[in-house]
Amino acid sequence: MADTLYQLTVRKGPKVGEKFILETISLTAGRDPVSDIILNDPEVSRQHARFTQTDSGYQVQDLGSTNGTFVNGERLESEPVDLQPGYTVSMGSGITLLYEEVPTGDALAATMIDQGGFGSFSGAAEDAGDLPDFDDEPKVPSDWEPDPSPPFTPEPEDFPPPPPVVRPSSAPPLVPTTDQDEAAKKKRRNMIIAITAVILLLCCCGFLVFMYYVGGDWLLETLGVI
């Protein structure tokens, strides 16, 4: 296989003069962003055509596009067609590509610059020439003299004393009471008193009933009831 490189140059379309170098075995062309050759034209299908490498160069094949692929004005069928330098490949009526060899030497360098290749790095290197050289030693004015005053030393009174250390007490902290707590305590106290009084009353009544059935009239006479 020859070492010659081939390229496609836009002769008609949105970006006239744009070049696509054919460097891989197979490349697809179309509107799809994942295509190897992206052609933003309404008459170009998402996957429009495929360029395949051969022993003598490249061949092109239509991928069932809507508006067809043409080589030198003749519409392709389903079979691929070999390309020769100088052939034109059209996709619809809006895109025309020129198939040609990539120039060598100075012309190749110019082509790479057009594609934003290593030429852009050379331009960046030229622009970098305007930057200052940081390796140069700083220049000291001839009339400069060091300051004879001694360095500043802070005195102890310049710093405020540290705050006193407050050690926590072992006693639990006092929790302030609220009106609701006082009301709840009073309610519980009254309930305890009432329950105690009821228990005492029941005990007295039980005792009297017990003595009535056990002591009989003797208890009533003692109490002065009868």
Side-chain angles (χ1 to χ4, degrees), residues 29-220:
R31 288 189 296 107
D32 198 324
V34 301
S35 300
D36 300 299
I37 301 175
I38 302 175
L39 302 170
N40 293 320
D41 187 87
E43 294 193 15
V44 176
S45 300
R46 296 183 64 85
Q47 295 289 330
H48 197 104
R50 177 184 291 111
F51 294 88
T52 306
Q53 192 176 35
T54 63
D55 293 338
S56 59
Y58 278 84
Q59 61 183 9
V60 61
Q61 181 181 10
D62 185 76
L63 298 179
S65 63
T66 303
N67 296 312
T69 303
F70 302 83
V71 175
N72 290 341
E74 296 185 6
R75 183 164 185 165
L76 301 183
E77 302 297 336
S78 59
E79 297 297 325
V81 173
D82 292 333
L83 298 175
Q84 298 294 331
Y87 279 17
T88 58
V89 179
S90 301
M91 300 181 187
S93 61
I95 298 293
T96 300
L97 306 173
L98 175 63
Y99 176 77
E100 57 186 351
E101 294 182 1
V102 176
T104 57
D106 297 337
L108 176 59
T111 302
M112 296 299 291
I113 292 175
D114 292 338
Q115 293 182 327
F118 60 81
S120 60
F121 292 99
S122 62
E126 292 177 359
D127 295 339
D130 298 334
L131 298 177
D133 188 1
F134 294 99
D135 294 335
D136 295 340
E137 296 183 359
K139 296 181 179 180
V140 181
S142 58
D143 56 349
W144 179 84
E145 293 181 359
D147 189 0
S149 59
F152 172 74
T153 303
E155 298 295 335
E157 57 271 11
D158 294 336
F159 299 95
V165 178
V166 179
R167 299 184 180 276
S169 176
S170 58
L174 297 177
V175 179
T177 59
T178 60
D179 295 339
Q180 294 181 354
D181 294 339
E182 292 294 339
K185 290 181 179 180
K186 185 176 181 180
K187 184 177 180 181
R188 286 195 298 268
R189 185 168 56 251
N190 295 336
M191 186 177 297
I192 292 173
I193 295 173
I195 293 174
T196 304
V198 171
I199 293 174
L200 292 175
L201 181 60
L202 291 176
C203 291
C204 293
C205 294
F207 176 76
L208 292 175
V209 171
F210 175 76
M211 291 303 296
Y212 175 77
Y213 286 102
V214 175
D217 296 337
W218 174 82
L219 178 62
L220 296 178

